[in-house]
Amino acid sequence: MPDTLPPPATSVAHIRWFETARHGRRDIAEEVPVALVYDASTEAVMMATPADLEDFAYGFSLNEGLISEPTDIQRLDIVSGPDGIEARMWLTPDKSRRLTARRRSRTGPTGCGLCGIESLEDVLRLRGELPPSELQLSVVDIMSAVESLESQQPLGQQTRAVHAAGFWTPEGGLIATREDVGRHNALDKLAGALARQATDPNRGAIVLTSRVSVEMVQKAVAMGAPILIAISAPTALALRTAEAAGLTIVGIARHNGFEVFTRTERIVF
């Protein structure tokens, strides 16, 4: 990655009031436009934290169904410019042809979190099926996963302004964490990190600092993780989608409790 990328956080002057006013400085999270470019054509532009962008490029590509495995990307360059950052990817010939055909059939523009959607029917369509899993987590496991994620968010602790997505296994604990100003981006970065490390998401649970929307469920299913744990609540559509896909949703997870919404057989009380 070139040295010209902006830092993930910037120190700014502020006035802090706590019983009295004091001048000081605070680190503020950066967000920049990141264009995901495939074979010289831009597929999406996301506002993201300028860190772990290789993981973001791989994870976005996998979760959006543009590639099937990391080796489908033959080359990846992170290029910083005056208006933002480009993740320039060159795909294998087969994947390049498929993406070209997909672009030709597209009927309209897309928005954040639903990139590449061609019709309303595609909004609820799951990308891939959740593979069978024997994974079960105990109450202690879930508490440990949540507490581990809290302690592994350096940018979050620095700025108090970013989301985190982590991957926790009973054997290894929290083995990967990625942060971003966007919750979708954090999960995509985690997906890319796991894929590049050849880590099987079927072995553990995804842990999020955000609410669980349908897009987060779709990404978790695309990754192949059987359990999704979040500190916030899910939406109704997310639960219906998770139930249909066989995904266990644990929400409102705190130090002293949590709520299990779907596929409760994977949680041992």
Side-chain angles (χ1 to χ4, degrees):
M1 180 180 292
D3 296 333
T4 55
L5 292 185
T10 299
S11 178
V12 300
H14 73 147
I15 298 177
R16 178 177 181 268
W17 189 92
F18 185 76
E19 296 182 348
T20 183
R22 296 181 181 179
H23 290 267
R25 301 192 67 81
R26 165 176 282 279
D27 290 333
I28 300 296
E30 283 285 358
E31 58 177 341
V32 299
V34 177
L36 295 133
V37 183
Y38 299 86
D39 299 324
S41 294
T42 299
E43 180 71 11
V45 179
M46 313 292 281
M47 298 304 298
T49 300
D52 299 309
L53 293 182
E54 292 94 343
D55 289 337
F56 182 39
Y58 277 95
F60 178 91
S61 303
L62 287 164
N63 283 343
E64 296 299 323
L66 304 180
I67 64 173
S68 302
E69 54 190 25
T71 54
D72 289 334
I73 296 177
Q74 294 184 315
R75 178 180 169 186
L76 167 62
D77 294 330
I78 305 297
V79 181
S80 181
D83 298 322
I85 300 170
E86 289 188 351
R88 298 176 181 173
M89 289 163 275
W90 284 264
L91 305 181
T92 59
D94 177 60
K95 294 301 179 182
S96 182
R97 286 191 296 269
R98 289 176 180 269
L99 181 56
T100 299
R102 168 175 165 167
R103 285 172 177 153
R104 287 173 180 168
S105 66
R106 188 165 301 161
T107 57
T110 62
C112 178
L114 296 172
C115 296
I117 297 302
E118 299 167 11
S119 68
L120 290 175
E121 293 177 353
D122 286 335
V123 172
L124 303 183
R125 186 174 300 164
L126 287 168
R127 301 183 181 94
E129 297 180 358
L130 198 60
S133 174
E134 300 298 323
L135 179 68
Q136 287 188 316
L137 297 184
S138 68
V139 171
V140 173
D141 289 334
I142 294 174
M143 300 294 189
S144 176
V146 173
E147 291 179 3
S148 297
L149 185 63
E150 290 180 355
S151 64
Q152 296 297 319
Q153 299 177 50
L155 188 59
Q157 294 170 1
Q158 182 182 3
T159 66
R160 303 296 181 185
V162 298
H163 286 291
F167 184 69
W168 189 93
T169 69
E171 301 81 14
L174 194 70
I175 63 176
T177 306
R178 292 295 183 270
E179 298 177 279
D180 199 275
V181 290
R183 55 197 175 91
H184 305 96
N185 300 341
L187 187 52
D188 281 337
K189 287 180 177 180
L190 178 67
L194 296 181
R196 297 175 73 193
Q197 297 169 9
T199 298
D200 183 6
N202 193 249
R203 295 171 36 217
I206 295 171
V207 194
L208 303 175
T209 60
S210 66
R211 66 183 174 89
V212 182
S213 60
V214 66
E215 310 99 290
M216 305 298 273
V217 168
Q218 290 170 327
K219 290 179 185 292
V221 173
M223 292 170 64
I227 299 176
L228 183 63
I229 303 170
I231 66 171
S232 296
T235 67
L237 180 56
L239 293 183
R240 291 193 293 270
T241 305
E243 183 65 36
L247 175 68
T248 297
I249 298 291
V250 179
I252 318 176
R254 299 289 190 272
H255 296 290
N256 58 350
F258 53 85
E259 299 180 23
V260 187
F261 293 92
T262 60
R263 303 294 173 134
T264 60
E265 66 273 8
R266 292 199 181 98
I267 309 303
V268 181
F269 293 95

PDB file of all heavy atoms in Angstrom, residues 27 47 58 68 79 97 135 178 191 197 237 257:
ATOM      1  N   ASP A  27      -8.807  12.742  18.679  1.00  0.00           N
ATOM      2  CA  ASP A  27      -8.636  12.015  17.419  1.00  0.00           C
ATOM      3  C   ASP A  27     -10.004  11.712  16.832  1.00  0.00           C
ATOM      4  O   ASP A  27     -10.872  11.135  17.494  1.00  0.00           O
ATOM      5  CB  ASP A  27      -7.866  10.714  17.644  1.00  0.00           C
ATOM      6  CG  ASP A  27      -6.404  10.964  17.994  1.00  0.00           C
ATOM      7  OD1 ASP A  27      -5.881  12.013  17.569  1.00  0.00           O
ATOM      8  OD2 ASP A  27      -5.808  10.123  18.676  1.00  0.00           O
ATOM      9  N   MET A  47     -17.996   5.117   1.156  1.00  0.00           N
ATOM     10  CA  MET A  47     -17.295   5.931   2.140  1.00  0.00           C
ATOM     11  C   MET A  47     -16.738   4.990   3.197  1.00  0.00           C
ATOM     12  O   MET A  47     -17.487   4.231   3.826  1.00  0.00           O
ATOM     13  CB  MET A  47     -18.241   6.944   2.765  1.00  0.00           C
ATOM     14  CG  MET A  47     -18.827   7.935   1.775  1.00  0.00           C
ATOM     15  SD  MET A  47     -17.578   8.855   0.843  1.00  0.00           S
ATOM     16  CE  MET A  47     -16.732   9.738   2.180  1.00  0.00           C
ATOM     17  N   TYR A  58     -11.103  -7.529  -1.209  1.00  0.00           N
ATOM     18  CA  TYR A  58     -11.378  -8.964  -1.323  1.00  0.00           C
ATOM     19  C   TYR A  58     -12.731  -9.309  -0.699  1.00  0.00           C
ATOM     20  O   TYR A  58     -13.525 -10.063  -1.284  1.00  0.00           O
ATOM     21  CB  TYR A  58     -10.275  -9.772  -0.641  1.00  0.00           C
ATOM     22  CG  TYR A  58      -9.053  -9.982  -1.499  1.00  0.00           C
ATOM     23  CD1 TYR A  58      -7.951  -9.141  -1.401  1.00  0.00           C
ATOM     24  CD2 TYR A  58      -8.996 -11.031  -2.408  1.00  0.00           C
ATOM     25  CE1 TYR A  58      -6.825  -9.330  -2.192  1.00  0.00           C
ATOM     26  CE2 TYR A  58      -7.875 -11.235  -3.201  1.00  0.00           C
ATOM     27  CZ  TYR A  58      -6.789 -10.380  -3.095  1.00  0.00           C
ATOM     28  OH  TYR A  58      -5.683 -10.569  -3.882  1.00  0.00           O
ATOM     29  N   SER A  68     -15.433 -15.864  -6.530  1.00  0.00           N
ATOM     30  CA  SER A  68     -15.747 -17.046  -5.722  1.00  0.00           C
ATOM     31  C   SER A  68     -14.661 -17.355  -4.706  1.00  0.00           C
ATOM     32  O   SER A  68     -14.924 -17.967  -3.673  1.00  0.00           O
ATOM     33  CB  SER A  68     -15.956 -18.257  -6.635  1.00  0.00           C
ATOM     34  OG  SER A  68     -16.992 -18.021  -7.560  1.00  0.00           O
ATOM     35  N   VAL A  79      -4.627   2.702  -4.914  1.00  0.00           N
ATOM     36  CA  VAL A  79      -4.084   3.943  -5.485  1.00  0.00           C
ATOM     37  C   VAL A  79      -4.805   5.138  -4.866  1.00  0.00           C
ATOM     38  O   VAL A  79      -6.029   5.255  -4.952  1.00  0.00           O
ATOM     39  CB  VAL A  79      -4.252   3.966  -7.018  1.00  0.00           C
ATOM     40  CG1 VAL A  79      -3.656   5.245  -7.597  1.00  0.00           C
ATOM     41  CG2 VAL A  79      -3.592   2.739  -7.642  1.00  0.00           C
ATOM     42  N   ARG A  97     -15.544 -11.780 -17.609  1.00  0.00           N
ATOM     43  CA  ARG A  97     -16.658 -11.918 -18.552  1.00  0.00           C
ATOM     44  C   ARG A  97     -17.997 -11.912 -17.825  1.00  0.00           C
ATOM     45  O   ARG A  97     -18.973 -11.296 -18.285  1.00  0.00           O
ATOM     46  CB  ARG A  97     -16.497 -13.198 -19.370  1.00  0.00           C
ATOM     47  CG  ARG A  97     -15.413 -13.140 -20.434  1.00  0.00           C
ATOM     48  CD  ARG A  97     -15.503 -14.317 -21.367  1.00  0.00           C
ATOM     49  NE  ARG A  97     -15.250 -15.572 -20.676  1.00  0.00           N
ATOM     50  CZ  ARG A  97     -14.051 -16.133 -20.548  1.00  0.00           C
ATOM     51  NH1 ARG A  97     -12.991 -15.545 -21.080  1.00  0.00           N
ATOM     52  NH2 ARG A  97     -13.900 -17.284 -19.920  1.00  0.00           N
ATOM     53  N   LEU A 135     -21.428 -26.373  14.996  1.00  0.00           N
ATOM     54  CA  LEU A 135     -21.009 -25.407  16.009  1.00  0.00           C
ATOM     55  C   LEU A 135     -22.121 -25.132  17.014  1.00  0.00           C
ATOM     56  O   LEU A 135     -23.273 -24.888  16.645  1.00  0.00           O
ATOM     57  CB  LEU A 135     -20.609 -24.094  15.340  1.00  0.00           C
ATOM     58  CG  LEU A 135     -20.159 -22.972  16.282  1.00  0.00           C
ATOM     59  CD1 LEU A 135     -18.838 -23.317  16.955  1.00  0.00           C
ATOM     60  CD2 LEU A 135     -20.031 -21.644  15.528  1.00  0.00           C
ATOM     61  N   ARG A 178     -11.758  -6.259  12.332  1.00  0.00           N
ATOM     62  CA  ARG A 178     -11.581  -5.155  11.405  1.00  0.00           C
ATOM     63  C   ARG A 178     -12.537  -4.023  11.784  1.00  0.00           C
ATOM     64  O   ARG A 178     -13.658  -4.272  12.242  1.00  0.00           O
ATOM     65  CB  ARG A 178     -11.838  -5.594   9.956  1.00  0.00           C
ATOM     66  CG  ARG A 178     -10.786  -6.559   9.409  1.00  0.00           C
ATOM     67  CD  ARG A 178      -9.425  -5.905   9.313  1.00  0.00           C
ATOM     68  NE  ARG A 178      -8.407  -6.786   8.732  1.00  0.00           N
ATOM     69  CZ  ARG A 178      -7.638  -7.606   9.427  1.00  0.00           C
ATOM     70  NH1 ARG A 178      -7.770  -7.663  10.756  1.00  0.00           N
ATOM     71  NH2 ARG A 178      -6.720  -8.351   8.834  1.00  0.00           N
ATOM     72  N   ALA A 191     -14.405 -10.281   6.135  1.00  0.00           N
ATOM     73  CA  ALA A 191     -14.527 -11.367   5.164  1.00  0.00           C
ATOM     74  C   ALA A 191     -13.259 -11.504   4.342  1.00  0.00           C
ATOM     75  O   ALA A 191     -12.771 -12.618   4.088  1.00  0.00           O
ATOM     76  CB  ALA A 191     -15.723 -11.115   4.252  1.00  0.00           C
ATOM     77  N   GLN A 197      -6.548 -15.354   4.804  1.00  0.00           N
ATOM     78  CA  GLN A 197      -5.863 -16.218   5.772  1.00  0.00           C
ATOM     79  C   GLN A 197      -6.295 -17.674   5.647  1.00  0.00           C
ATOM     80  O   GLN A 197      -5.820 -18.525   6.391  1.00  0.00           O
ATOM     81  CB  GLN A 197      -6.162 -15.741   7.193  1.00  0.00           C
ATOM     82  CG  GLN A 197      -5.658 -14.352   7.519  1.00  0.00           C
ATOM     83  CD  GLN A 197      -6.213 -13.824   8.825  1.00  0.00           C
ATOM     84  OE1 GLN A 197      -6.849 -14.551   9.598  1.00  0.00           O
ATOM     85  NE2 GLN A 197      -5.991 -12.546   9.095  1.00  0.00           N
ATOM     86  N   LEU A 237     -36.926  -8.034   9.042  1.00  0.00           N
ATOM     87  CA  LEU A 237     -36.544  -8.642   7.767  1.00  0.00           C
ATOM     88  C   LEU A 237     -35.253  -9.440   7.918  1.00  0.00           C
ATOM     89  O   LEU A 237     -35.104 -10.516   7.323  1.00  0.00           O
ATOM     90  CB  LEU A 237     -36.381  -7.566   6.701  1.00  0.00           C
ATOM     91  CG  LEU A 237     -35.976  -8.045   5.306  1.00  0.00           C
ATOM     92  CD1 LEU A 237     -36.954  -9.086   4.776  1.00  0.00           C
ATOM     93  CD2 LEU A 237     -35.860  -6.868   4.339  1.00  0.00           C
ATOM     94  N   GLY A 257     -26.032 -10.565  29.608  1.00  0.00           N
ATOM     95  CA  GLY A 257     -27.136 -11.232  28.944  1.00  0.00           C
ATOM     96  C   GLY A 257     -27.185 -10.982  27.455  1.00  0.00           C
ATOM     97  O   GLY A 257     -26.418 -10.181  26.914  1.00  0.00           O
TER      98      GLY A 257
END
